[in-house]
Coordinates of all heavy atoms in Angstrom, one line a residue:
F89 N 17.0 -7.7 -47.1 CA 15.9 -8.5 -47.6 C 14.6 -8.4 -46.7 O 13.5 -8.4 -47.2 CB 16.3 -10.0 -47.7 CG 15.3 -10.7 -48.4 CD1 14.9 -10.5 -49.7 CD2 14.6 -11.8 -47.7 CE1 13.9 -11.3 -50.4 CE2 13.6 -12.6 -48.4 CZ 13.3 -12.3 -49.7
I90 N 14.8 -8.3 -45.4 CA 13.6 -8.2 -44.5 C 13.8 -7.0 -43.6 O 14.9 -6.7 -43.1 CB 13.3 -9.4 -43.8 CG1 14.4 -9.8 -42.8 CG2 12.9 -10.6 -44.6 CD1 14.1 -11.0 -41.8
S91 N 12.7 -6.3 -43.3 CA 12.7 -5.1 -42.5 C 11.7 -5.0 -41.4 O 11.8 -4.2 -40.5 CB 12.6 -3.8 -43.4 OG 13.6 -3.7 -44.4
R92 N 10.6 -5.8 -41.5 CA 9.6 -5.7 -40.6 C 9.5 -6.9 -39.7 O 9.8 -8.0 -40.1 CB 8.2 -5.5 -41.3 CG 8.1 -4.2 -42.1 CD 6.7 -4.2 -42.9 NE 5.6 -4.3 -41.9 CZ 5.0 -3.3 -41.3 NH1 5.5 -2.1 -41.4 NH2 4.0 -3.6 -40.4
Q93 N 9.0 -6.7 -38.4 CA 8.8 -7.8 -37.5 C 7.9 -8.8 -38.0 O 8.1 -10.0 -37.9 CB 8.3 -7.2 -36.2 CG 9.4 -6.3 -35.4 CD 10.7 -7.0 -35.2 OE1 10.7 -8.1 -34.6 NE2 11.8 -6.4 -35.5
D94 N 6.8 -8.4 -38.6 CA 5.8 -9.4 -39.1 C 6.4 -10.2 -40.2 O 6.0 -11.4 -40.4 CB 4.5 -8.7 -39.5 CG 4.6 -7.6 -40.5 OD1 5.7 -7.3 -41.0 OD2 3.5 -7.0 -40.8
E95 N 7.3 -9.6 -41.1 CA 8.0 -10.4 -42.1 C 8.8 -11.5 -41.5 O 8.8 -12.7 -41.9 CB 8.9 -9.5 -42.9 CG 8.3 -8.6 -43.9 CD 9.3 -7.8 -44.6 OE1 10.0 -6.9 -44.0 OE2 9.5 -8.0 -45.8
G96 N 9.5 -11.1 -40.4 CA 10.4 -12.1 -39.8 C 9.6 -13.3 -39.2 O 9.9 -14.4 -39.2
Q97 N 8.5 -12.9 -38.5 CA 7.6 -13.9 -37.9 C 7.0 -14.8 -38.9 O 6.8 -16.0 -38.7 CB 6.6 -13.2 -37.0 CG 7.1 -12.5 -35.8 CD 7.7 -13.4 -34.8 OE1 7.4 -14.6 -34.7 NE2 8.6 -12.8 -33.9
A98 N 6.6 -14.2 -40.1 CA 6.0 -15.0 -41.1 C 7.0 -16.0 -41.7 O 6.6 -17.2 -42.0 CB 5.5 -14.2 -42.2
V99 N 8.2 -15.6 -41.8 CA 9.3 -16.5 -42.3 C 9.5 -17.7 -41.3 O 9.5 -18.9 -41.7 CB 10.6 -15.8 -42.5 CG1 11.8 -16.8 -42.7 CG2 10.5 -14.9 -43.8
C100 N 9.6 -17.4 -40.1 CA 9.7 -18.4 -39.1 C 8.5 -19.4 -39.0 O 8.7 -20.6 -38.9 CB 9.9 -17.8 -37.7 SG 11.5 -16.9 -37.5
A101 N 7.3 -18.8 -39.2 CA 6.1 -19.7 -39.2 C 6.2 -20.6 -40.4 O 5.8 -21.8 -40.3 CB 4.9 -18.9 -39.2
E102 N 6.6 -20.1 -41.5 CA 6.6 -21.0 -42.7 C 7.7 -22.0 -42.7 O 7.5 -23.1 -43.2 CB 6.7 -20.1 -44.0 CG 6.5 -20.8 -45.3 CD 6.3 -19.9 -46.4 OE1 6.1 -18.7 -46.3 OE2 6.3 -20.4 -47.6
V103 N 8.8 -21.7 -42.1 CA 9.9 -22.7 -42.0 C 9.4 -23.8 -41.0 O 9.7 -25.0 -41.2 CB 11.2 -22.0 -41.5 CG1 12.3 -23.1 -41.1 CG2 11.7 -21.1 -42.6
G104 N 8.8 -23.3 -39.9 CA 8.2 -24.3 -39.0 C 9.2 -25.0 -38.1 O 8.9 -26.1 -37.6
A105 N 10.4 -24.5 -37.9 CA 11.4 -25.1 -37.0 C 11.3 -24.4 -35.6 O 11.4 -23.2 -35.5 CB 12.8 -24.9 -37.6
P106 N 11.2 -25.2 -34.6 CA 11.0 -24.6 -33.3 C 12.2 -23.9 -32.8 O 12.2 -23.1 -31.9 CB 10.7 -25.8 -32.3 CG 11.2 -27.0 -33.1 CD 11.0 -26.7 -34.5
N107 N 13.4 -24.1 -33.4 CA 14.7 -23.4 -33.0 C 15.0 -22.3 -33.9 O 16.1 -21.9 -34.0 CB 15.8 -24.4 -32.9 CG 16.2 -25.0 -34.2 OD1 15.3 -25.3 -35.0 ND2 17.4 -25.2 -34.5
L108 N 14.0 -21.8 -34.7 CA 14.2 -20.6 -35.5 C 13.3 -19.5 -34.9 O 12.0 -19.7 -35.0 CB 13.9 -20.9 -37.0 CG 14.0 -19.7 -37.9 CD1 15.5 -19.2 -38.0 CD2 13.4 -20.0 -39.3
K109 N 13.8 -18.4 -34.5 CA 13.0 -17.3 -34.0 C 13.6 -16.0 -34.6 O 14.5 -15.9 -35.3 CB 13.0 -17.3 -32.5 CG 12.3 -18.5 -31.9 CD 12.1 -18.3 -30.4 CE 11.2 -19.5 -29.9 NZ 10.8 -19.3 -28.5
V110 N 12.9 -14.9 -34.2 CA 13.3 -13.5 -34.7 C 14.1 -12.8 -33.6 O 13.8 -12.9 -32.4 CB 11.9 -12.7 -35.0 CG1 12.3 -11.3 -35.3 CG2 11.2 -13.3 -36.1
Q111 N 15.1 -12.1 -34.1 CA 15.9 -11.2 -33.3 C 15.2 -9.9 -33.3 O 15.2 -9.2 -34.3 CB 17.3 -11.1 -33.8 CG 18.3 -10.2 -33.1 CD 19.7 -10.4 -33.5 OE1 20.2 -11.6 -33.4 NE2 20.4 -9.4 -33.9
F112 N 14.7 -9.4 -32.2 CA 13.9 -8.2 -32.1 C 14.9 -7.1 -31.6 O 15.2 -6.9 -30.5 CB 12.8 -8.4 -31.1 CG 11.8 -7.3 -31.0 CD1 10.5 -7.5 -31.6 CD2 12.0 -6.1 -30.5 CE1 9.6 -6.6 -31.6 CE2 11.1 -5.1 -30.5 CZ 9.8 -5.3 -31.1
D113 N 15.3 -6.3 -32.6 CA 16.1 -5.1 -32.3 C 15.2 -3.9 -32.2 O 14.5 -3.5 -33.2 CB 17.1 -4.9 -33.4 CG 18.1 -3.9 -33.1 OD1 17.8 -2.8 -32.5 OD2 19.3 -4.1 -33.3
C114 N 15.1 -3.4 -30.9 CA 14.1 -2.3 -30.7 C 14.5 -1.1 -31.5 O 13.6 -0.3 -32.0 CB 14.1 -1.9 -29.2 SG 13.6 -3.2 -28.1
Y115 N 15.8 -0.9 -31.8 CA 16.2 0.2 -32.7 C 15.6 0.2 -34.1 O 15.0 1.1 -34.6 CB 17.7 0.3 -32.6 CG 18.4 1.2 -33.7 CD1 18.5 2.6 -33.5 CD2 18.9 0.6 -34.9 CE1 19.1 3.4 -34.4 CE2 19.4 1.4 -35.8 CZ 19.6 2.8 -35.6 OH 20.2 3.6 -36.5
H116 N 15.8 -1.0 -34.7 CA 15.3 -1.2 -36.0 C 13.8 -1.1 -36.1 O 13.2 -0.5 -37.0 CB 15.8 -2.5 -36.6 CG 17.2 -2.6 -36.9 ND1 17.9 -1.7 -37.6 CD2 18.2 -3.5 -36.4 CE1 19.2 -2.0 -37.7 NE2 19.4 -3.0 -37.0
C117 N 13.2 -1.8 -35.1 CA 11.7 -1.8 -35.0 C 11.1 -0.4 -35.0 O 10.1 0.0 -35.7 CB 11.2 -2.7 -33.9 SG 9.4 -2.8 -33.9
Q118 N 11.7 0.4 -34.1 CA 11.2 1.8 -33.9 C 11.3 2.6 -35.2 O 10.4 3.4 -35.6 CB 11.9 2.5 -32.8 CG 11.6 4.0 -32.7 CD 10.2 4.2 -32.2 OE1 9.4 3.3 -31.9 NE2 9.8 5.5 -32.1
I119 N 12.4 2.5 -35.9 CA 12.6 3.2 -37.1 C 11.7 2.8 -38.2 O 11.1 3.6 -38.9 CB 14.2 3.1 -37.6 CG1 15.0 3.8 -36.7 CG2 14.3 3.6 -39.0 CD1 16.5 3.6 -36.9
V120 N 11.5 1.5 -38.3 CA 10.6 1.0 -39.5 C 9.1 1.1 -39.2 O 8.3 1.5 -40.0 CB 11.0 -0.5 -39.8 CG1 10.1 -1.0 -40.9 CG2 12.4 -0.6 -40.2
E121 N 8.7 0.7 -37.9 CA 7.4 0.6 -37.6 C 6.9 1.4 -36.5 O 5.7 1.8 -36.4 CB 7.1 -0.9 -37.2 CG 7.5 -1.9 -38.3 CD 7.4 -3.3 -37.9 OE1 6.3 -3.8 -37.6 OE2 8.5 -4.0 -37.8
G122 N 7.7 1.7 -35.5 CA 7.2 2.3 -34.2 C 6.4 1.3 -33.5 O 6.3 0.1 -33.7
D123 N 5.7 1.9 -32.4 CA 4.8 1.0 -31.6 C 5.5 -0.2 -31.0 O 5.0 -1.4 -31.1 CB 3.5 0.7 -32.4 CG 2.3 0.3 -31.6 OD1 2.4 0.6 -30.4 OD2 1.4 -0.2 -32.1
V124 N 6.7 -0.1 -30.5 CA 7.6 -1.2 -30.2 C 6.9 -2.0 -29.1 O 7.0 -3.3 -29.2 CB 8.9 -0.6 -29.7 CG1 9.8 -1.8 -29.1 CG2 9.7 0.0 -30.9
A125 N 6.3 -1.4 -28.1 CA 5.7 -2.2 -27.1 C 4.6 -3.1 -27.6 O 4.5 -4.3 -27.2 CB 5.1 -1.3 -26.0
S126 N 3.8 -2.7 -28.5 CA 2.8 -3.5 -29.1 C 3.4 -4.6 -29.9 O 2.8 -5.8 -29.8 CB 1.8 -2.7 -29.9 OG 1.1 -1.8 -29.2
K127 N 4.5 -4.4 -30.6 CA 5.1 -5.5 -31.4 C 5.7 -6.5 -30.4 O 5.6 -7.7 -30.7 CB 6.2 -4.9 -32.2 CG 5.7 -3.8 -33.2 CD 4.7 -4.3 -34.1 CE 4.4 -3.2 -35.2 NZ 3.9 -1.9 -34.7
L128 N 6.3 -6.1 -29.3 CA 6.8 -7.1 -28.3 C 5.6 -7.9 -27.8 O 5.7 -9.2 -27.6 CB 7.5 -6.3 -27.2 CG 8.9 -5.8 -27.5 CD1 9.4 -4.9 -26.4 CD2 9.9 -7.0 -27.6
R129 N 4.5 -7.2 -27.3 CA 3.4 -8.0 -26.8 C 2.9 -9.0 -27.9 O 2.6 -10.2 -27.5 CB 2.2 -7.1 -26.5 CG 2.6 -6.2 -25.2 CD 1.3 -5.4 -24.8 NE 1.6 -4.5 -23.7 CZ 1.8 -3.2 -23.8 NH1 1.8 -2.7 -25.0 NH2 2.1 -2.5 -22.8

C-alpha cells in the first residue's frame, strides 16, 4: 500500500499520534527513491 518515505510521513502527520513514526529501511528507500541521505536529513 505505501512505498515512499513522504507517504509514510504524511500518514503519520494526518494520524497525529506522537507514538506513530516511520520505519526507515535504507534498502527500500534506495530502490524506490534514492538520495537516502537527504531523506534521512
Side-chain angles (χ1 to χ4, degrees):
F89 188 64
I90 60 171
S91 298
R92 295 178 57 87
Q93 296 299 312
D94 54 4
E95 288 181 288
Q97 294 294 336
V99 166
C100 290
E102 192 163 349
V103 170
N107 65 322
L108 178 67
K109 294 193 174 186
V110 173
Q111 180 168 304
F112 191 108
D113 190 314
C114 297
Y115 167 80
H116 292 305
C117 182
Q118 174 67 5
I119 290 171
V120 176
E121 306 172 64
D123 203 12
V124 172
S126 292
K127 304 301 187 303
L128 283 167
R129 290 189 183 98

